[in-house]
Amino acid sequence: MLELLAAHACHGGVQRIYKHESKVTGLPMRFSVYLPPQALQPEQGTHKVPALFYLAGLTCTEETFPIKAGAQRFAARHGLALIAPDTSPRGTGIPGENAAWDFGVGAGFYVDATEEPWSKHFRMYSYVRDELRETVLANLPVDGERLGIFGHSMGGHGALMLALRNPQIYRSVSAFAPLAAPSRCPWGEKAFSGYLGQDRAAWQAYDSSELVASASHKFAEGILIDQGLSDQFLAEQLYPEVFEAACHAAGQPLTLRRHEGYDHGYFFISTFIEDHIAHHAKVLLA
């Protein structure tokens, strides 16, 4: 059952925040939803619209994207819903869950943890792919056959990984400054070892550069990635060139745009969000 926490008129549609009890994480979870005006047509009955799932980065919540990205204007233009979950379970009671900004609360990394004590609650892969999607489809005017996914930083990793593993669910995918080869970067190594253990072979199921190399399905319309060249995390954490090489070797169409002067934050995202919404709309509205 969904609990509506907030609702705001926005570009002819409505921006909402919901809370629900999650069986997957065992805790209450929050997510935001933007419904465009095309979904709110009482004289015609409820009209189901395509939807984009957005996965946010480290320390973010379900409110970060709708407040900072400026995406609603363009979602309204194309008639797309926008759904953004929180970035981790909260209030688990695990000792030290808030001890670091890059692990634990706000840093679920969109994996299903297998290591104690994280494995009971930190199951963001199954939450996003299954429970959140099913909850949205059961309660909101969203067309489950026309879904895309995108994200930023840790969430860019999540979006690429979820799409590559589940092309039957997500028809389009894009990312802003993703952790494109998380098994190779400090953030990814810390998260994967903590959540998944020390066996690096287990990490490959969540590493987009590894996944694209072996994927049988190709996103024929291409994957879109935008990367700022003044991003403070580019050299140490992001590795877009590794994902680029893997796509080239696998024959996966990729548009990787590198932008002088742009950093890792939401000023960068808000500059190019229109292009990402259009990229998904081209696929989902075809």
Side-chain angles (χ1 to χ4, degrees):
M1 182 175 178
L2 291 182
E3 178 184 352
L4 180 64
L5 300 179
H8 308 278
C10 184
H11 292 290
V14 59
Q15 179 68 58
R16 297 173 180 167
I17 302 290
Y18 287 103
K19 182 171 76 170
H20 70 122
E21 294 295 327
S22 168
K23 293 181 180 179
V24 170
T25 68
L27 291 164
M29 296 292 294
R30 293 161 60 113
F31 64 94
S32 66
V33 175
Y34 176 70
L35 294 176
Q38 294 86 339
L40 308 173
Q41 300 178 2
E43 72 283 358
Q44 300 177 19
T46 299
H47 177 65
K48 290 188 176 183
V49 296
L52 301 181
F53 287 82
Y54 177 88
L55 306 183
L58 291 165
T59 75
C60 294
T61 73
E62 74 286 346
E63 293 186 296
T64 308
F65 175 73
I67 291 173
K68 292 185 175 183
Q72 295 93 336
R73 178 191 305 272
F74 309 112
R77 180 183 302 168
H78 292 286
L80 303 178
L82 302 171
I83 299 120
D86 201 352
T87 51
S88 79
R90 296 175 189 268
T92 67
I94 296 173
E97 67 175 354
N98 289 298
W101 67 275
D102 57 355
F103 185 80
V105 170
F109 268 81
Y110 306 101
V111 305
D112 282 350
T114 56
E115 294 293 298
E116 296 291 346
W118 308 99
S119 56
K120 181 178 180 180
H121 299 294
F122 276 67
R123 304 185 62 229
M124 290 300 292
Y125 176 83
S126 292
Y127 174 72
V128 171
R129 186 193 66 177
D130 300 324
E131 189 176 35
L132 175 62
R133 176 174 58 90
E134 292 164 4
T135 298
V136 166
L137 296 182
N139 292 279
L140 296 167
V142 167
D143 183 351
E145 299 300 315
R146 294 187 292 168
L147 303 178
I149 190 165
F150 66 148
H152 168 234
S153 193
M154 175 186 72
H157 136 71
L160 294 173
M161 175 269 294
L162 274 152
L164 289 165
R165 287 183 62 169
N166 301 282
Q168 76 282 5
I169 295 176
Y170 306 107
R171 291 175 51 187
S172 58
V173 58
S174 70
F176 295 93
L179 276 68
S183 296
R184 305 188 186 196
C185 74
W187 285 342
E189 289 180 329
K190 180 177 181 178
F192 286 0
S193 60
Y195 295 136
L196 305 173
Q198 297 300 320
D199 182 4
R200 285 179 170 261
W203 301 4
Q204 294 183 10
Y206 295 104
D207 189 311
S208 298
S209 291
E210 299 289 342
L211 290 168
V212 77
S214 58
S216 57
H217 174 87
K218 300 292 188 294
F219 288 88
E221 298 83 1
I223 296 171
L224 173 62
I225 293 177
D226 279 306
Q227 176 62 60
L229 293 181
S230 293
D231 189 320
Q232 62 271 41
F233 304 115
L234 176 56
E236 186 178 13
Q237 303 283 4
L238 305 183
Y239 292 97
E241 70 281 359
V242 174
F243 186 73
E244 183 177 41
C247 284
H248 179 75
Q252 169 58 59
L254 170 69
T255 299
L256 173 54
R257 308 192 303 185
R258 295 171 168 91
H259 304 280
E260 292 285 352
Y262 287 92
D263 61 22
H264 197 69
Y266 271 81
F267 294 110
F268 160 60
I269 293 172
S270 67
T271 301
F272 299 105
I273 191 67
E274 180 178 8
D275 294 347
H276 284 249
I277 300 294
H279 166 79
H280 291 274
K282 183 178 179 181
V283 178
L284 300 180
L285 297 175

